[in-house]
Short mmCIF file of all heavy atoms in Angstrom, two decimals:
data_model
loop_
_atom_site.label_atom_id
_atom_site.label_comp_id
_atom_site.label_asym_id
_atom_site.label_seq_id
_atom_site.Cartn_x
_atom_site.Cartn_y
_atom_site.Cartn_z
N MET A 119 46.27 77.30 141.21
CA MET A 119 46.62 78.48 140.42
C MET A 119 47.62 79.36 141.17
O MET A 119 48.61 79.83 140.59
CB MET A 119 45.37 79.31 140.12
CG MET A 119 44.38 78.68 139.16
SD MET A 119 42.95 79.77 138.94
CE MET A 119 41.81 78.67 138.11
N LEU A 120 47.35 79.58 142.45
CA LEU A 120 48.22 80.43 143.26
C LEU A 120 49.60 79.82 143.40
O LEU A 120 50.62 80.52 143.28
CB LEU A 120 47.58 80.63 144.64
CG LEU A 120 48.22 81.67 145.56
CD1 LEU A 120 48.20 83.05 144.91
CD2 LEU A 120 47.48 81.71 146.90
N ARG A 121 49.65 78.51 143.62
CA ARG A 121 50.93 77.82 143.76
C ARG A 121 51.76 77.93 142.48
O ARG A 121 52.96 78.24 142.51
CB ARG A 121 50.68 76.35 144.09
CG ARG A 121 51.95 75.51 144.27
CD ARG A 121 51.60 74.05 144.25
NE ARG A 121 51.01 73.68 142.96
CZ ARG A 121 50.27 72.60 142.78
NH1 ARG A 121 49.98 71.80 143.78
NH2 ARG A 121 49.79 72.33 141.57
N ASP A 122 51.13 77.69 141.33
CA ASP A 122 51.85 77.75 140.06
C ASP A 122 52.37 79.15 139.77
O ASP A 122 53.49 79.32 139.28
CB ASP A 122 50.93 77.29 138.92
CG ASP A 122 50.56 75.82 139.02
OD1 ASP A 122 51.25 75.09 139.75
OD2 ASP A 122 49.57 75.41 138.38
N THR A 123 51.54 80.17 140.06
CA THR A 123 51.96 81.55 139.80
C THR A 123 53.10 81.97 140.70
O THR A 123 54.05 82.62 140.26
CB THR A 123 50.76 82.50 139.96
OG1 THR A 123 49.68 82.06 139.14
CG2 THR A 123 51.14 83.91 139.54
N LEU A 124 53.03 81.61 141.97
CA LEU A 124 54.11 81.94 142.91
C LEU A 124 55.41 81.26 142.50
O LEU A 124 56.50 81.84 142.63
CB LEU A 124 53.72 81.52 144.34
CG LEU A 124 52.66 82.37 145.03
CD1 LEU A 124 52.27 81.75 146.37
CD2 LEU A 124 53.17 83.80 145.25
N SER A 125 55.29 80.05 141.98
CA SER A 125 56.48 79.33 141.51
C SER A 125 57.14 80.08 140.35
O SER A 125 58.37 80.18 140.28
CB SER A 125 56.09 77.92 141.07
OG SER A 125 57.21 77.21 140.56
N GLN A 126 56.33 80.65 139.46
CA GLN A 126 56.88 81.42 138.34
C GLN A 126 57.52 82.71 138.82
O GLN A 126 58.56 83.14 138.29
CB GLN A 126 55.77 81.72 137.33
CG GLN A 126 55.30 80.50 136.57
CD GLN A 126 54.10 80.81 135.67
OE1 GLN A 126 53.24 81.60 136.03
NE2 GLN A 126 54.04 80.18 134.52
N ILE A 127 56.92 83.35 139.82
CA ILE A 127 57.50 84.59 140.35
C ILE A 127 58.84 84.30 141.01
O ILE A 127 59.81 85.07 140.87
CB ILE A 127 56.53 85.24 141.36
CG1 ILE A 127 55.29 85.77 140.63
CG2 ILE A 127 57.21 86.39 142.11
CD1 ILE A 127 54.22 86.29 141.55
N LEU A 128 58.94 83.16 141.71
CA LEU A 128 60.20 82.80 142.35
C LEU A 128 61.28 82.50 141.32
O LEU A 128 62.46 82.74 141.55
CB LEU A 128 59.99 81.57 143.25
CG LEU A 128 59.22 81.81 144.55
CD1 LEU A 128 58.95 80.49 145.26
CD2 LEU A 128 60.00 82.74 145.47
N GLY A 129 60.86 81.98 140.18
CA GLY A 129 61.81 81.65 139.10
C GLY A 129 61.94 80.16 138.91
O GLY A 129 62.44 79.46 139.80
N GLU A 130 61.47 79.68 137.76
CA GLU A 130 61.51 78.25 137.46
C GLU A 130 62.59 77.95 136.43
O GLU A 130 63.06 78.82 135.72
CB GLU A 130 60.15 77.79 136.91
CG GLU A 130 59.00 77.91 137.89
CD GLU A 130 57.68 77.46 137.29
OE1 GLU A 130 57.53 77.59 136.06
OE2 GLU A 130 56.82 77.00 138.05
N ARG A 131 62.96 76.68 136.40
CA ARG A 131 63.88 76.22 135.37
C ARG A 131 63.24 76.44 133.99
O ARG A 131 62.05 76.23 133.82
CB ARG A 131 64.19 74.74 135.56
CG ARG A 131 65.15 74.15 134.53
CD ARG A 131 65.21 72.65 134.67
NE ARG A 131 65.76 72.25 135.94
CZ ARG A 131 67.05 72.12 136.19
NH1 ARG A 131 67.93 72.37 135.24
NH2 ARG A 131 67.48 71.76 137.37
N ALA A 132 64.04 76.87 133.05
CA ALA A 132 63.53 77.08 131.70
C ALA A 132 63.04 75.76 131.11
O ALA A 132 63.51 74.68 131.47
CB ALA A 132 64.61 77.68 130.81
N ASP A 133 62.07 75.86 130.21
CA ASP A 133 61.53 74.68 129.56
C ASP A 133 62.64 73.90 128.87
O ASP A 133 63.43 74.46 128.10
CB ASP A 133 60.47 75.11 128.53
CG ASP A 133 59.89 73.92 127.79
OD1 ASP A 133 59.21 73.11 128.41
OD2 ASP A 133 60.16 73.81 126.58
N ALA A 134 62.71 72.61 129.17
CA ALA A 134 63.81 71.78 128.65
C ALA A 134 63.81 71.73 127.13
O ALA A 134 64.87 71.75 126.50
CB ALA A 134 63.71 70.36 129.23
N GLU A 135 62.64 71.67 126.53
CA GLU A 135 62.55 71.61 125.08
C GLU A 135 63.05 72.91 124.45
O GLU A 135 63.76 72.89 123.44
CB GLU A 135 61.11 71.34 124.65
CG GLU A 135 60.91 71.23 123.14
CD GLU A 135 61.71 70.10 122.52
OE1 GLU A 135 62.02 69.12 123.24
OE2 GLU A 135 62.03 70.19 121.33
N LEU A 136 62.69 74.05 125.05
CA LEU A 136 63.19 75.34 124.57
C LEU A 136 64.71 75.40 124.65
O LEU A 136 65.39 75.84 123.71
CB LEU A 136 62.58 76.48 125.38
CG LEU A 136 63.11 77.89 125.08
CD1 LEU A 136 62.79 78.28 123.64
CD2 LEU A 136 62.53 78.91 126.06
N ALA A 137 65.25 74.94 125.78
CA ALA A 137 66.70 74.95 125.94
C ALA A 137 67.40 74.08 124.90
O ALA A 137 68.41 74.48 124.31
CB ALA A 137 67.07 74.47 127.35
N ARG A 138 66.84 72.90 124.65
CA ARG A 138 67.45 72.00 123.67
C ARG A 138 67.41 72.60 122.26
O ARG A 138 68.39 72.50 121.50
CB ARG A 138 66.72 70.65 123.69
CG ARG A 138 67.16 69.71 124.79
CD ARG A 138 66.65 68.31 124.56
NE ARG A 138 65.21 68.23 124.73
CZ ARG A 138 64.60 67.98 125.88
NH1 ARG A 138 65.31 67.80 126.97
NH2 ARG A 138 63.29 67.90 125.95
N THR A 139 66.30 73.22 121.91
CA THR A 139 66.19 73.77 120.56
C THR A 139 67.11 74.98 120.38
O THR A 139 67.66 75.19 119.29
CB THR A 139 64.74 74.17 120.25
OG1 THR A 139 64.25 75.07 121.26
CG2 THR A 139 63.85 72.95 120.18
N ILE A 140 67.28 75.77 121.44
CA ILE A 140 68.21 76.90 121.36
C ILE A 140 69.63 76.40 121.15
O ILE A 140 70.37 76.90 120.29
CB ILE A 140 68.13 77.77 122.63
CG1 ILE A 140 66.79 78.54 122.67
CG2 ILE A 140 69.29 78.77 122.67
CD1 ILE A 140 66.58 79.31 123.94
N LYS A 141 70.02 75.40 121.92
CA LYS A 141 71.37 74.85 121.78
C LYS A 141 71.57 74.24 120.39
O LYS A 141 72.65 74.34 119.79
CB LYS A 141 71.63 73.79 122.86
CG LYS A 141 71.77 74.36 124.26
CD LYS A 141 72.05 73.26 125.27
CE LYS A 141 72.25 73.83 126.66
NZ LYS A 141 72.51 72.77 127.66
N LYS A 142 70.51 73.60 119.88
CA LYS A 142 70.60 73.02 118.53
C LYS A 142 70.80 74.11 117.49
O LYS A 142 71.59 73.94 116.55
CB LYS A 142 69.31 72.24 118.23
CG LYS A 142 69.32 71.52 116.90
CD LYS A 142 68.04 70.71 116.69
CE LYS A 142 68.06 70.01 115.35
NZ LYS A 142 66.82 69.21 115.13
N THR A 143 70.12 75.24 117.67
CA THR A 143 70.28 76.36 116.74
C THR A 143 71.70 76.91 116.82
O THR A 143 72.33 77.19 115.79
CB THR A 143 69.28 77.48 117.08
OG1 THR A 143 67.95 76.98 116.92
CG2 THR A 143 69.48 78.68 116.17
N VAL A 144 72.22 77.06 118.02
CA VAL A 144 73.59 77.58 118.21
C VAL A 144 74.59 76.65 117.55
O VAL A 144 75.54 77.09 116.88
CB VAL A 144 73.89 77.75 119.71
CG1 VAL A 144 75.36 78.12 119.91
CG2 VAL A 144 73.00 78.83 120.33
N CYS A 145 74.39 75.34 117.74
CA CYS A 145 75.34 74.36 117.19
C CYS A 145 75.18 74.14 115.69
O CYS A 145 75.96 73.40 115.08
CB CYS A 145 75.19 73.03 117.92
SG CYS A 145 75.73 73.06 119.64
N SER A 146 74.15 74.78 115.09
CA SER A 146 73.96 74.63 113.65
C SER A 146 75.01 75.39 112.85
O SER A 146 75.18 75.15 111.65
CB SER A 146 72.56 75.12 113.25
OG SER A 146 72.43 76.52 113.45
N PHE A 147 75.74 76.29 113.50
CA PHE A 147 76.82 77.00 112.82
C PHE A 147 78.02 76.07 112.69
O PHE A 147 78.40 75.40 113.67
CB PHE A 147 77.19 78.26 113.61
CG PHE A 147 76.14 79.34 113.53
CD1 PHE A 147 75.03 79.32 114.36
CD2 PHE A 147 76.25 80.37 112.61
CE1 PHE A 147 74.06 80.30 114.29
CE2 PHE A 147 75.28 81.35 112.52
CZ PHE A 147 74.18 81.31 113.36
N PRO A 148 78.64 76.01 111.52
CA PRO A 148 79.66 74.99 111.21
C PRO A 148 80.79 74.88 112.22
O PRO A 148 81.21 73.77 112.55
CB PRO A 148 80.18 75.42 109.83
CG PRO A 148 79.05 76.20 109.24
CD PRO A 148 78.38 76.89 110.37
N ASP A 149 81.30 76.00 112.72
CA ASP A 149 82.48 75.95 113.58
C ASP A 149 82.16 75.88 115.06
O ASP A 149 83.06 75.91 115.90
CB ASP A 149 83.38 77.17 113.31
CG ASP A 149 84.06 77.08 111.95
OD1 ASP A 149 84.38 75.95 111.53
OD2 ASP A 149 84.26 78.13 111.32
N VAL A 150 80.87 75.79 115.42
CA VAL A 150 80.48 75.67 116.83
C VAL A 150 80.35 74.19 117.15
O VAL A 150 79.44 73.51 116.67
CB VAL A 150 79.15 76.40 117.12
CG1 VAL A 150 78.74 76.20 118.57
CG2 VAL A 150 79.29 77.88 116.80
N SER A 151 81.25 73.66 117.97
CA SER A 151 81.25 72.23 118.28
C SER A 151 80.43 71.90 119.51
O SER A 151 80.20 70.72 119.81
CB SER A 151 82.69 71.74 118.48
OG SER A 151 83.34 72.48 119.50
N GLY A 152 79.97 72.92 120.24
CA GLY A 152 79.16 72.65 121.43
C GLY A 152 78.58 73.93 122.00
O GLY A 152 79.16 75.01 121.84
N ALA A 153 77.41 73.81 122.66
CA ALA A 153 76.79 74.94 123.34
C ALA A 153 76.48 74.51 124.77
O ALA A 153 75.83 73.49 124.99
CB ALA A 153 75.51 75.36 122.61
N TYR A 154 76.95 75.30 125.74
CA TYR A 154 76.85 74.90 127.14
C TYR A 154 76.47 76.10 128.02
O TYR A 154 76.47 77.25 127.57
CB TYR A 154 78.18 74.33 127.62
CG TYR A 154 78.74 73.25 126.72
CD1 TYR A 154 79.73 73.55 125.79
CD2 TYR A 154 78.27 71.95 126.79
CE1 TYR A 154 80.25 72.56 124.95
CE2 TYR A 154 78.77 70.95 125.96
CZ TYR A 154 79.77 71.27 125.05
OH TYR A 154 80.26 70.30 124.23
N ASP A 155 76.16 75.78 129.28
CA ASP A 155 75.92 76.82 130.30
C ASP A 155 74.82 77.79 129.88
O ASP A 155 74.91 79.00 130.14
CB ASP A 155 77.21 77.61 130.59
CG ASP A 155 78.37 76.71 130.95
OD1 ASP A 155 78.13 75.67 131.57
OD2 ASP A 155 79.52 77.05 130.59
N LEU A 156 73.79 77.28 129.23
CA LEU A 156 72.69 78.15 128.81
C LEU A 156 71.91 78.60 130.04
O LEU A 156 71.41 77.78 130.80
CB LEU A 156 71.76 77.42 127.85
CG LEU A 156 70.52 78.20 127.40
CD1 LEU A 156 70.92 79.43 126.59
CD2 LEU A 156 69.59 77.30 126.58
N VAL A 157 71.81 79.90 130.22
CA VAL A 157 71.04 80.47 131.33
C VAL A 157 69.98 81.38 130.73
O VAL A 157 70.30 82.28 129.93
CB VAL A 157 71.94 81.28 132.29
CG1 VAL A 157 71.09 81.91 133.40
CG2 VAL A 157 73.02 80.40 132.88
N LEU A 158 68.71 81.14 131.08
CA LEU A 158 67.61 81.95 130.57
C LEU A 158 66.92 82.66 131.73
O LEU A 158 66.51 82.02 132.70
CB LEU A 158 66.60 81.06 129.84
CG LEU A 158 67.10 80.37 128.58
CD1 LEU A 158 66.03 79.44 128.02
CD2 LEU A 158 67.53 81.37 127.52
N HIS A 159 66.83 83.97 131.63
CA HIS A 159 66.16 84.78 132.64
C HIS A 159 64.81 85.22 132.10
O HIS A 159 64.73 85.84 131.04
CB HIS A 159 67.00 86.00 133.00
CG HIS A 159 68.36 85.67 133.52
ND1 HIS A 159 68.55 85.20 134.80
CD2 HIS A 159 69.58 85.71 132.95
CE1 HIS A 159 69.85 84.98 135.00
NE2 HIS A 159 70.49 85.28 133.89
N ASN A 160 63.75 84.88 132.83
CA ASN A 160 62.39 85.19 132.39
C ASN A 160 61.94 86.53 132.96
O ASN A 160 61.97 86.74 134.17
CB ASN A 160 61.45 84.07 132.85
CG ASN A 160 60.02 84.33 132.46
OD1 ASN A 160 59.27 84.92 133.23
ND2 ASN A 160 59.64 83.91 131.28
N TYR A 161 61.53 87.44 132.08
CA TYR A 161 61.05 88.75 132.50
C TYR A 161 59.59 88.96 132.09
O TYR A 161 59.16 90.07 131.81
CB TYR A 161 61.93 89.86 131.92
CG TYR A 161 63.32 89.84 132.50
CD1 TYR A 161 64.37 89.21 131.83
CD2 TYR A 161 63.58 90.42 133.74
CE1 TYR A 161 65.64 89.16 132.38
CE2 TYR A 161 64.85 90.38 134.29
CZ TYR A 161 65.88 89.75 133.61
OH TYR A 161 67.14 89.69 134.15
N GLY A 162 58.84 87.87 132.09
CA GLY A 162 57.44 87.90 131.69
C GLY A 162 57.21 86.79 130.68
O GLY A 162 58.16 86.19 130.16
N PRO A 163 55.94 86.46 130.41
CA PRO A 163 55.64 85.39 129.46
C PRO A 163 56.29 85.62 128.10
O PRO A 163 56.18 86.70 127.52
CB PRO A 163 54.10 85.45 129.35
CG PRO A 163 53.67 86.06 130.65
CD PRO A 163 54.73 87.04 131.01
N ASP A 164 57.00 84.62 127.62
CA ASP A 164 57.66 84.67 126.30
C ASP A 164 58.69 85.79 126.21
O ASP A 164 58.99 86.28 125.12
CB ASP A 164 56.63 84.84 125.18
CG ASP A 164 55.75 83.62 125.02
OD1 ASP A 164 56.22 82.53 125.35
OD2 ASP A 164 54.60 83.77 124.59
#
C-alpha cells in the first residue's frame, strides 16, 4: 500500500486506456487528422 501510494505522489504515467480514449475523442472532429503529445497532470483522484 505504501509503495503504491508513494508512486502516485511521485507521479505515474497516465492510464493508457484513458489516454487512448481522449485522443479518440479529439480525433472524432472531422478536420482533426491526429492527436499527439498528450500530457496529463494528476491533482488528485479523477
Side-chain angles (χ1 to χ4, degrees):
M119 290 179 193
L120 190 59
R121 180 194 62 201
D122 293 343
T123 306
L124 287 174
S125 178
Q126 290 174 324
I127 292 174
L128 288 174
E130 295 179 331
R131 180 189 296 274
D133 178 67
E135 181 61 25
L136 174 63
R138 279 193 291 271
T139 55
I140 290 175
K141 289 181 178 180
K142 184 178 179 180
T143 298
V144 173
C145 291
S146 67
F147 289 83
D149 289 327
V150 177
S151 57
Y154 309 99
D155 307 326
L156 176 65
V157 178
L158 296 175
H159 301 284
N160 179 268
Y161 292 97
D164 293 332

